[in-house]
Amino acid sequence: MSYAIIGFGKLGQALAKAFVRKGIEVSVATTRDPKSFASEAAAIGAEVIPTTLADAVKADIIFLAVRFESHPDVAKVLPSWQGRTIVDVTNAYGVSPERLGGQPSSRFVAQAFSGARLVKGFNHLVAAVLDQDPAVQGGRRVVFLASDDEDAAAEIGGLAENLGFAPIKLGGLSEGGLLVQARGDEWGRLIFKDLVKFD
């Protein structure tokens, strides 16, 4: 299984650290030349591999950690995303529901990535929190997952556990998933909630 993070701002770097903590290799890419962020990647860990966008999209599981407005540019890189799972880490705060055709933002994103399985996840925590070790006082930091594809949600749930998080599935994108999607100028009710699960 191969992993990539597209977007290497604060959120992308926080995700990369989660992979490094568990010794899992992950590619990172932006629209820029990989050499331009190679030093930041090296500072996080040897498991973080700077690469081109064209190479990053070959991964099995891709974390989309770009600004919401930038997702169509990423989607254009491939004519079909068949066989890939996209983890939508974007937040569409400030984007009018009319512009999204009244749909949840993740369903709008899913339409751009033709053929991919999409899971909304890892977006409800601010970068400074996601950046921290998910092991908290004997518990595990919660990440919420929503998808219209149960198998994809299970796959990303397994990855979240491997990264040390406690995944909680919210159901479909238009059901529980609305709790972690911004709508216009309102945040979903679970966004910014930093919860810890004790087994």
Side-chain angles (χ1 to χ4, degrees):
M1 191 66 70
S2 55
Y3 308 102
I5 300 165
I6 297 176
F8 202 51
K10 290 180 180 176
L11 266 178
Q13 291 184 30
L15 286 165
K17 286 180 186 176
F19 279 86
V20 169
R21 276 192 290 267
K22 297 298 182 179
I24 302 171
E25 190 172 285
V26 63
S27 298
V28 294
T30 71
T31 52
R32 295 179 287 135
D33 185 315
K35 291 176 187 166
S36 70
F37 54 89
S39 60
E40 290 112 305
I44 294 173
E47 295 88 352
V48 183
I49 314 298
T51 189
T52 62
L53 192 53
D55 281 337
V57 298
K58 295 174 185 172
D60 301 308
I61 294 176
I62 298 164
F63 284 77
L64 186 65
V66 298
R67 288 168 50 92
F68 177 80
E69 293 78 9
S70 301
H71 81 266
D73 298 327
V74 177
K76 287 177 198 164
V77 176
L78 291 177
S80 170
W81 292 78
Q82 198 73 38
R84 292 170 178 82
T85 302
I86 305 282
V87 182
D88 178 17
V89 192
T90 68
N91 276 314
Y93 183 80
V95 178
S96 73
E98 291 75 31
R99 193 179 139 202
L100 303 179
Q103 316 175 80
S105 62
S106 284
R107 188 160 281 165
F108 188 82
V109 170
Q111 289 173 347
F113 290 86
S114 174
R117 306 186 309 166
L118 186 132
V119 178
K120 184 74 174 175
F122 292 84
N123 67 299
H124 81 284
L125 296 171
V126 295
V129 174
L130 191 60
D131 197 68
Q132 300 168 25
D133 190 323
V136 182
Q137 299 177 351
R140 294 177 295 148
R141 180 163 278 116
V142 166
V143 289
F144 296 111
L145 305 176
S147 181
D148 293 336
D149 185 314
E150 287 186 20
D151 291 340
E155 179 181 48
I156 301 307
L159 174 59
E161 292 204 349
N162 289 344
L163 295 175
F165 293 92
I168 293 180
K169 294 173 193 163
L170 300 176
L173 298 173
S174 300
E175 300 152 14
L178 288 177
L179 296 170
V180 286
Q181 295 178 67
R183 196 161 175 80
D185 293 332
E186 294 182 9
W187 290 105
R189 281 181 282 170
L190 290 178
I191 292 180
F192 306 135
K193 300 289 189 286
D194 182 16
L195 306 177
V196 177
K197 183 180 179 187
F198 295 91
D199 297 316

